[in-house]
Amino acid sequence: MTQQAYRTGTDNGDSGPGRPGSRLRRLTHRLTHRLLTGWRGDPRIWRRGTVVAALALLLALVMLAHSRIPNRIGNLGSLTDTFLPWLGLAVPVLLVLGLVRRSATALIAVLLPAIVWLNLFGGLLTDKSAGGGDLMVATHNVNADNPDPAATARDVASSGADLLALEELPASQVPVYERALAPTYGYHAIVGTVGLWSRYPMSGVRAVDIKLGWKRAMRATVATPAGPLAVYVAHLPSVRVKMRAGFTARQRDKSADALGEAIAGESLGRVVLLGDLNGTMNDRALNAVTSQMRSTQGAAGSGFGFSWPASFPMARIDQIMVKGVEPESSWTLPRTGSDHLPVAARVKLEETDTSS
C-alpha cells in the first residue's frame, strides 16, 4: 500500500505554522491582546485620548446644534443639514481610535455622539411600513439627458403606481413618455418640465408659481375612488457646492417658500406633494413645506430611502409628502436610466373630502 507522502494540514486540520492563515491568526491575537490588556491598573487610561474625546464632544455638539449653524457663510448650515446622517460614520472611527489609544476617557466620550445620532436617526433604522393603503404614488426625476426615456417610462409604470409624477421632462422627449405611459394611465397633464400621470380623472390643472420665471411646478385635483385629492408636482432649483461660494441654494430656498405658501392656501383637505425638492427633510430651507406636511419615508418607510445620486445614493432629495393623508409604506424603486432613483409610497385616504 502506498503511504501518504505529504499532508495538507496539521493533525487538527489547521494550517501549518508557516501558512498565511496561521500568521494572520497570530497577528490578530497580538492586536487583540494589545487592545484588551493593560487597562487594569493603568492610571493613564484616564489621561490618554483627550484629543479623541474632544473630537467626539465636538461631533455630538454639531449634531445637536446643527440647526443653529448659520447659513451666512456658504450656506454651511443647510449643507450640514443635508448630509447630517453621514456624520454617524465618524462614531466607529472615534471608537477605534479610543481603543488603540487605550483611553477610557475617549471611549466614554464617544458614547455621547452615538446616543445623539441614534436619537436623531435611530427610528429610520426600523421598518415602519404597515402594508395596505388604497393609493400608490410615485415620483421620478427622469433626467433631461436620459439615454433611454422609453425604457425609463416603462420601468416606472411597471411599479403599479396609481399616480406617477415625472420631473425634468425636456420638450423633445415628452412625446416619448406620453406614448410609453399611455397603456397604463388614461389621464395625464404636463406643465412646463413636470408632468402627472393618473389612473383616475384629473381636473383643475394649473401651474404653481415658484418664483423661477419658468414652469417647474403644477397642481391638479385627482378624482380618486375615495374622493378628491390635491396633487402637487414640483422640481425645485438645483443647488451647487462651489469652492468659493459654498452651498449655493438661494433660488432653491426662494422657490421652497413659494411652494409652501401655495400648499398652505390649498382648499382641499387632502394633499400629496411629489417631486424633486433638491433638499432633505433635515434642510431648514424647506421649512415652509416640511412644517406642514409629513414625509412618507419618515413616517412609514424602512431606512433612509436615499435617492441621489443613483450610482451611490447619499441623500433623499426626491420626496413624497402628505397632508390629511395617512402614509402606509414608502420605498425606493429600482434604478432606471436617470441619475435619480424613483421613490414610491402607499397611502390611505380616509373619509371622502367634500371641501371645495
Side-chain angles (χ1 to χ4, degrees):
M1 180 180 294
T2 303
Q3 294 186 350
Q4 185 173 340
Y6 61 88
R7 289 178 179 269
T8 58
T10 60
D11 289 341
N12 60 6
D14 293 333
S15 300
R19 300 291 182 183
S22 178
R23 289 197 295 270
L24 179 61
R25 282 196 297 274
R26 290 199 299 271
L27 178 62
T28 303
H29 176 74
R30 284 198 295 267
L31 180 60
T32 304
H33 180 77
R34 175 171 178 162
L35 291 176
L36 299 181
T37 61
W39 293 71
R40 184 177 299 176
D42 182 2
R44 292 180 300 169
I45 64 173
W46 299 103
R47 296 196 295 267
R48 287 192 298 258
T50 54
V51 173
V52 177
L55 290 174
L57 294 177
L58 177 62
L59 177 63
L61 180 62
V62 169
M63 289 192 290
L64 275 173
H66 69 93
S67 62
R68 296 183 179 274
I69 298 175
N71 263 336
R72 290 189 296 272
I73 302 175
N75 266 25
L76 183 60
S78 283
L79 180 61
T80 304
D81 296 342
T82 298
F83 296 103
L84 191 63
W86 291 94
L87 293 182
L89 292 179
V91 172
V93 174
L94 293 173
L95 177 62
V96 171
L97 291 175
L99 287 171
V100 170
R101 291 289 292 147
R102 287 190 290 179
S103 168
T105 301
L107 294 180
I108 292 174
V110 169
L111 288 176
L112 185 57
I115 292 171
V116 172
W117 190 91
L118 287 172
N119 182 62
L120 290 172
F121 302 110
L124 294 176
L125 301 179
T126 59
D127 187 353
K128 299 178 291 298
S129 60
D134 45 27
L135 188 74
M136 179 179 170
V137 299
T139 180
H140 189 26
N141 179 325
V142 295
N143 187 2
D145 297 321
N146 193 316
D148 194 348
T152 294
R154 290 192 296 269
D155 287 344
V156 290
S158 67
S159 68
D162 300 300
L163 299 177
L164 172 64
L166 300 182
E167 304 86 47
E168 207 168 296
L169 290 168
S172 60
Q173 293 182 0
V174 165
V176 177
Y177 285 100
E178 289 178 323
R179 286 194 298 271
L181 294 173
T184 306
Y185 301 99
Y187 310 89
H188 81 280
I190 296 172
V191 175
T193 60
V194 299
L196 178 63
W197 277 258
S198 171
R199 297 181 189 272
Y200 309 114
M202 296 191 297
S203 62
V205 177
R206 59 176 173 81
V208 175
D209 183 8
I210 54 173
K211 312 301 181 184
L212 275 178
W214 67 95
K215 297 173 181 178
R216 282 179 44 157
M218 63 176 287
R219 182 258 183 219
T221 298
V222 178
T224 75
L229 175 71
V231 180
Y232 286 75
V233 181
H235 183 195
L236 298 188
S238 300
V239 298
R240 298 287 185 268
V241 180
K242 301 178 181 178
M243 292 299 293
R244 294 186 179 181
F247 191 63
T248 57
R250 183 174 302 175
Q251 185 59 64
R252 189 279 311 268
D253 299 350
K254 181 180 178 181
S255 292
D257 291 341
L259 178 61
E261 184 177 348
I263 293 173
E266 172 59 50
S267 60
L268 290 179
R270 297 185 302 193
V271 185
V272 171
L273 169 62
L274 307 167
D276 175 5
L277 302 190
N278 270 305
T280 68
M281 293 298 294
N282 295 315
D283 192 337
R284 74 201 66 180
L286 301 184
N287 280 351
V289 177
T290 58
S291 63
Q292 57 178 318
M293 306 191 79
R294 300 172 68 193
S295 162
T296 59
Q297 186 67 25
S302 176
F304 292 93
F306 294 149
S307 63
W308 178 89
S311 57
F312 187 82
M314 297 183 65
R316 184 180 177 89
I317 62 175
D318 301 275
Q319 306 291 353
I320 299 176
M321 304 183 68
V322 297
K323 180 168 67 171
V325 173
E326 187 63 30
E328 294 291 325
S329 56
S330 186
W331 66 98
T332 57
L333 295 172
R335 185 178 179 181
T336 69
S338 172
D339 57 342
H340 291 242
L341 293 179
V343 298
R346 291 195 67 85
V347 299
K348 183 177 182 181
L349 304 180
E350 301 281 352
E351 300 176 0
T352 302
D353 192 326
T354 58
S355 55
S356 57

